[in-house]
Amino acid sequence: MTLAIIGGTGLTQISGLRITGQQSLETPFGAPSADYVFGEINGKQLIFLARHGNPHRIPPHKINYRANIWGLRELGATDIIAVAAVGGIGPLMAPGHIAIPDQIIDYSYGREHTFFADDLQHVTHIDFSEPYSATLRKRILQAAHNSGIAITEVATYGCTQGPRLETIMEIKRMAQDGCDLVGMTGMPEAALARELDLNYANISVVANWAAGIVAGEITMAEIEKNLQVGMAKAVDLLKAISLLPELTLV
């Protein structure tokens, strides 16, 4: 079992990761967001990729999701934990909080969203009823329990196009649809991992209340401040995950 971490906004590198190497890779779908970094946490090896590049420069709708996921599979990853900064919609989703979503609604558009598009021998469909790996989610939840990190265990992630933030009425619609979180990178990343039979789960770090949930304008200064707190918790959670024997690289 080989674990990969995809880091989102606020997580272009993992503190405490002992880097053992890095590799650039060209895929049939172009170049990934950044070089793949190999490292160790608590003696456990993993692969890390900065989703938005390093430095952070690629907006959500321009990320080459297909190259990112394909490259991880080529390098031997079997399990992917994707860390993402999100807005909070549900009443428990306060800034700095961590949620482990179990469902997703895709509001994005115009993205290259499948590997099964060209030169096919037959039309291919995947079951996406449960978009996140139940086994990998359980491991994350167990690590949170072991380390005393407060999380929400069930939540629906709504993926918007970006890079702009949403309007108040868009968030109201998403709340009516059942979304607890709003982010911009959850799809097609999750579906692409499923197409390649990779276990995939998400750690959502709430950076701000979504539009209209509380009064006032959403500012980048607010987001950055909240991410410092939330991403520190996420890194602690990743370190706790690395202590689980099920994720030991053999």
Side-chain angles (χ1 to χ4, degrees):
M1 186 174 292
T2 303
L3 177 63
I5 307 295
I6 299 178
T9 299
L11 191 66
T12 55
Q13 55 187 356
I14 300 177
S15 64
L17 176 67
R18 188 177 76 84
I19 297 174
T20 58
Q22 63 182 51
Q23 182 175 339
S24 60
L25 191 67
E26 189 69 22
T27 78
F29 306 97
S33 295
D35 287 353
Y36 295 94
V37 175
F38 300 88
E40 293 182 355
I41 294 181
N42 294 321
K44 306 301 193 316
Q45 300 179 45
L46 57 82
I47 306 168
F48 177 79
L49 177 66
R51 182 189 289 113
H52 295 274
N54 190 9
H56 185 283
R57 59 183 175 81
I58 308 173
H61 65 298
K62 291 291 187 180
I63 292 169
N64 192 339
Y65 296 96
R66 293 194 299 180
N68 288 351
I69 298 299
W70 185 274
L72 287 173
R73 201 274 298 270
E74 286 295 292
L75 293 173
T78 58
D79 294 69
I80 299 172
I81 295 176
V83 182
V86 300
I89 299 176
L92 300 179
M93 304 303 168
H97 187 59
I98 290 178
I100 314 301
D102 65 318
Q103 278 293 329
I104 193 164
I105 300 176
D106 188 9
Y107 301 94
S108 68
Y109 52 87
R111 302 181 180 189
E112 296 288 353
H113 65 280
T114 180
F115 293 113
F116 302 126
D118 303 307
D119 301 322
L120 301 178
Q121 299 300 316
H122 56 83
V123 176
T124 302
H125 303 283
I126 58 167
D127 174 48
F128 206 51
S129 304
E130 304 290 339
Y132 301 107
S133 164
T135 301
L136 192 52
R137 286 188 74 256
K138 286 178 182 178
R139 289 170 180 159
I140 296 171
L141 300 182
Q142 183 63 53
H145 176 77
N146 292 350
S147 58
I149 298 172
I151 61 170
T152 295
E153 299 185 6
V154 175
T156 296
Y157 178 124
C159 182
T160 58
Q161 179 70 357
R164 68 167 177 85
L165 299 179
E166 300 73 31
T167 68
I168 291 174
M169 288 307 298
E170 285 172 333
I171 293 300
K172 285 185 177 180
R173 182 189 70 167
M174 294 178 72
Q176 291 173 350
D177 288 348
C179 294
D180 302 290
L181 308 163
V182 55
M184 301 176 186
T185 59
M187 287 291 287
E189 200 172 82
L192 292 169
R194 179 63 54 83
E195 287 186 350
L196 295 184
D197 293 323
L198 301 174
N199 295 318
Y200 178 96
N202 177 281
I203 295 175
S204 285
V205 179
V206 182
N208 57 278
W209 286 113
I213 301 298
V214 297
E217 181 182 351
I218 301 169
T219 68
M220 289 308 301
E222 171 195 359
I223 289 173
E224 290 169 2
K225 181 180 73 172
N226 293 329
L227 279 180
Q228 287 182 356
V229 175
M231 285 300 174
K233 294 179 185 176
V235 170
D236 287 343
L237 181 53
L238 292 174
K239 291 176 180 177
I241 292 166
S242 73
L243 293 173
L244 296 177
E246 297 93 335
L247 294 179
T248 302
L249 180 66
V250 294

